[in-house]
């Protein structure tokens, strides 16, 4: 394969990926009834299985 064709192929792949991401992003509608901007107690994540450590590794600092 000639060296000059690699750059246009990369550009086409990059533009295609960005276009796909924008198309997927346009399918998602915002939840106007949700005014929370962060995790709450009811989101289903309890902090891990090591006793609630946020880093998940059980390290002490």
């Amino acid at each position: 394969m000639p060296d000059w064709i690699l750059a246009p192929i990369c550009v086409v792949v990059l533009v295609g990926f960005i276009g796909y991401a924008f198309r997927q992003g346009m399918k998602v509608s915002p939840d106007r009834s949700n005014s929370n901007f962060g995790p709450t107690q009811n989101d289903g994540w309890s902090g891990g299985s090591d006793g609630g450590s946020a880093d998940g590794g059980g390290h002490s600092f």
Side-chain angles (χ1 to χ4, degrees), residues 1-13:
M1 178 166 50
D3 291 336
W4 60 269
I5 202 158
L6 185 62
I9 290 174
C10 291
V11 168
V12 167
V13 169

Side-chain angles (χ1 to χ4, degrees), residues 5-59:
I5 202 158
L6 185 62
I9 290 174
C10 291
V11 168
V12 167
V13 169
L14 181 64
V15 168
F17 177 75
I18 292 172
Y20 177 75
F22 272 107
R23 191 177 66 171
Q24 293 295 318
M26 295 304 275
K27 290 181 181 178
V28 177
S29 61
D31 185 10
R32 302 221 184 260
S33 65
N34 186 5
S35 61
N36 297 329
F37 293 107
T40 62
Q41 294 290 350
N42 298 327
D43 284 343
W45 187 73
S46 63
S49 62
D50 62 344
S53 175
D55 62 356
H59 303 288

